[in-house]
Amino acid sequence: MQREIDAARHNADAADAADADNTDRDNTDHSNAGYADTGHDDVTAQSREGRVIALDIIPGAVPIESYQFPERCLMLFGAEGPGLSSKALELADDVVYISQFGSVRSINAGAAAAVAMHCWIAQHGRGIQQS
């Protein structure tokens, strides 16, 4: 799992380098667009490399309705029932949960991914061209 996270962060760095080239051409600063202040000391540096967002129902997790997803992120989803491993949660920058009614421990991983990706697109989808 660490290898996939490192690869995702590397790809985000490469994309940021391309964005920097575009910023130079259009005089627009995109370096911190779409990032909420999450209390980390160096949000700008982390924003450039992407953030790891875990989705799990654990104490201290933030409700998805109030979470500002970073533009560049890797979302981690655990297995239905047990959720994410302690190592996955340790690697995460933030932990978010999907609000549910009743006594529910989990939601199907595919459904959770669909909800989370819809929340991301609702926050960042403006201006994305559809083919």
Side-chain angles (χ1 to χ4, degrees):
M1 181 183 307
Q2 182 63 46
R3 189 173 50 208
E4 288 96 353
I5 292 170
D6 290 342
R9 285 187 168 153
H10 173 75
N11 290 341
D13 288 343
D16 280 336
D19 285 347
D21 289 343
N22 290 336
T23 299
D24 291 341
R25 284 187 218 120
D26 68 7
N27 295 323
T28 305
D29 181 10
H30 300 284
S31 63
N32 204 21
Y35 297 97
D37 182 3
T38 56
H40 292 277
D41 291 337
D42 191 0
V43 174
T44 303
Q46 288 181 355
S47 298
R48 284 192 209 118
E49 66 183 34
R51 297 179 60 76
V52 177
I53 312 303
L55 280 93
D56 203 349
I57 303 172
I58 63 169
V62 176
I64 200 166
E65 299 83 10
S66 63
Y67 183 73
Q68 178 64 41
F69 280 92
E71 190 171 330
R72 296 188 187 283
C73 63
L74 171 73
M75 295 184 206
L76 298 177
F77 302 91
E80 187 175 345
L84 288 165
S85 69
S86 57
K87 181 65 174 176
L89 291 169
E90 180 184 312
L91 292 170
D93 294 304
D94 297 314
V95 182
V96 177
Y97 71 90
I98 298 171
S99 299
Q100 302 170 64
F101 289 105
S103 173
V104 179
R105 167 57 189 108
S106 65
I107 187 171
N108 173 276
V115 168
M117 287 185 282
H118 174 74
C119 288
W120 184 94
I121 201 75
Q123 294 175 13
H124 300 288
R126 290 182 197 95
I128 295 176
Q129 294 181 1
Q130 297 179 2
S131 47

